[in-house]
């Protein structure tokens, strides 16, 4: 597994494949519940594999709310660090609606997507992994169907 920050393009490629895999799991009623960079692996060809479904739950046909599940791993992939160094930092962020700054090199639409996933208000986050994937694609392609990278 790689450690540290990925370039925005690498992050886009990884997150695109991961969101597709998670969207598929959600469509089958499975919620991973432990998404973090160490559970997103790449094979030698660069194909993303989701690992460690040990905390997974069957959530039924309605799917699973994205919540902070996508924001924290995306932030960590781009910056190489967690957005909230402790539970206290997370609680304070929820109370003040303060979000960790992302590097200026991160494209604005990607930055907006990551920040929206970190919001305390669930209605401000992507509804599901399909919406997350669509917004991720738009961050790199302006909405065309090309994959990031």
């Amino acid at each position: 597994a790689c450690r540290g920050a990925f370039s925005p393009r690498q992050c886009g490629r990884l997150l695109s494949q991961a969101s597709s895999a998670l969207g598929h799991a959600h469509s089958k009623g499975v919620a991973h519940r432990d998404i973090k960079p160490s559970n997103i692996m790449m094979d030698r060809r660069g194909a993303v594999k989701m690992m460690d479904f040990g905390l997974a739950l069957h959530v039924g046909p309605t799917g699973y709310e994205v919540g902070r599940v996508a924001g924290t791993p995306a932030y960590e992939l781009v910056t190489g660090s967690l957005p909230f160094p402790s539970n206290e930092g997370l609680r304070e962020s929820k109370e003040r609606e303060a979000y960790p700054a992302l590097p200026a090199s991160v494209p604005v639409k990607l930055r907006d997507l990551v920040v929206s996933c970190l919001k305390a208000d669930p209605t401000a986050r992507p509804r599901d992994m399909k919406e997350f994937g669509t917004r991720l694609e738009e961050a790199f392609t302006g909405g065309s169907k090309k994959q990031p990278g």
Side-chain angles (χ1 to χ4, degrees):
C2 295
R3 301 276 179 194
F6 287 85
S7 75
R9 285 251 172 242
Q10 291 169 316
C11 184
R13 196 173 309 115
L14 285 166
L15 290 173
S16 177
Q17 291 182 52
S19 70
S20 179
L22 290 170
H24 178 74
H26 294 172
S27 75
K28 302 296 183 190
V30 176
H32 188 285
R33 297 182 3 140
D34 193 22
I35 301 302
K36 56 189 175 189
S38 63
N39 285 339
I40 303 171
M41 300 291 184
M42 273 191 307
D43 67 17
R44 290 186 178 161
R45 295 181 320 256
V48 168
K49 307 291 184 189
M50 299 305 303
M51 308 301 286
D52 192 3
F53 279 76
L55 295 177
L57 283 180
H58 185 268
V59 294
T62 58
Y64 187 67
E65 182 182 299
V66 173
R68 292 179 189 276
V69 84
T72 299
Y75 182 92
E76 191 174 352
L77 287 170
V78 171
T79 66
S81 62
L82 291 169
F84 309 105
S86 68
N87 284 339
E88 285 302 312
L90 178 59
R91 261 187 240 115
E92 288 173 20
S93 175
K94 280 180 165 179
E95 291 169 9
R96 290 190 265 148
E97 290 289 318
Y99 306 106
L102 287 162
S105 61
V106 176
V108 172
K109 286 187 176 185
L110 178 59
R111 189 177 319 136
D112 291 347
L113 175 58
V114 172
V115 167
S116 74
C117 290
L118 293 171
K119 294 224 179 231
D121 177 5
T123 64
R125 303 178 205 144
R127 290 182 310 274
D128 53 31
M129 291 312 294
K130 183 176 180 179
E131 181 182 335
F132 178 86
T134 298
R135 289 182 56 193
L136 180 65
E137 180 180 287
E138 290 171 356
F140 289 94
T141 66
S144 72
K145 293 295 179 190
K146 289 187 342 182
Q147 287 290 334

